Amino acid sequence: MTDNELDDQSIEEETTELRITRTVDTPRERLWKAWTDPEQVAKWWGPNGFTNTVHEMNVRPAGVWRFVMHGPDGADYYNEFVYDEIVEPERLVYTHPQTKRTASCGFR
């Protein structure tokens, strides 16, 4: 398949999935805290050169994580995630819904 053929294909939202798996040599509880403790997340989340201000991080089903990523150019990127599934310390499933203040795309 060529790049041009890919451009003509439609993508069905219900069947599109991005799953990222990474193995990290650290205790599960420590890794869980890195993903669920606002102070820790603010230190590592996002691209190099960005900083974060976490406004809310309610890690529970239907809980919300609101934060702003501050780009090195001074631009602010508002984000909101909604937690769909929490299985401590092994699984976090969340949705990044499209809102007026967030990016132009949503994902889960």
Side-chain angles (χ1 to χ4, degrees):
M1 184 175 293
T2 68
D3 287 339
N4 289 341
E5 290 177 74
L6 288 174
D7 291 338
D8 293 334
Q9 291 185 342
S10 65
I11 297 175
E12 297 295 326
E13 182 176 328
E14 297 81 27
T15 61
T16 302
E17 180 176 310
L18 172 64
R19 183 177 298 215
I20 300 171
T21 303
R22 179 167 292 170
T23 302
V24 180
D25 186 20
T26 195
R28 290 172 78 170
E29 291 75 19
R30 183 176 181 194
L31 189 59
W32 182 262
K33 283 195 79 133
W35 277 87
T36 59
D37 175 21
E39 289 182 20
Q40 291 189 44
V41 171
K43 293 177 183 176
W44 66 265
W45 182 266
N48 289 336
F50 279 69
T51 60
N52 299 283
T53 301
V54 177
H55 295 283
E56 177 181 0
M57 189 176 224
N58 190 357
V59 183
R60 64 173 180 77
V64 175
W65 172 25
R66 287 187 185 93
F67 64 101
V68 179
M69 290 175 34
H70 309 286
D73 61 355
D76 288 336
Y77 302 90
Y78 294 88
N79 288 270
E80 180 178 301
F81 290 75
V82 177
Y83 293 102
D84 300 310
E85 182 182 356
I86 308 293
V87 181
E88 187 175 342
E90 64 186 63
R91 184 177 173 90
L92 284 173
V93 178
Y94 51 80
T95 302
H96 186 282
Q98 183 176 350
T99 68
K100 290 180 181 179
R101 294 197 80 185
T102 64
S104 60
C105 68
F107 64 88
R108 174 174 187 226

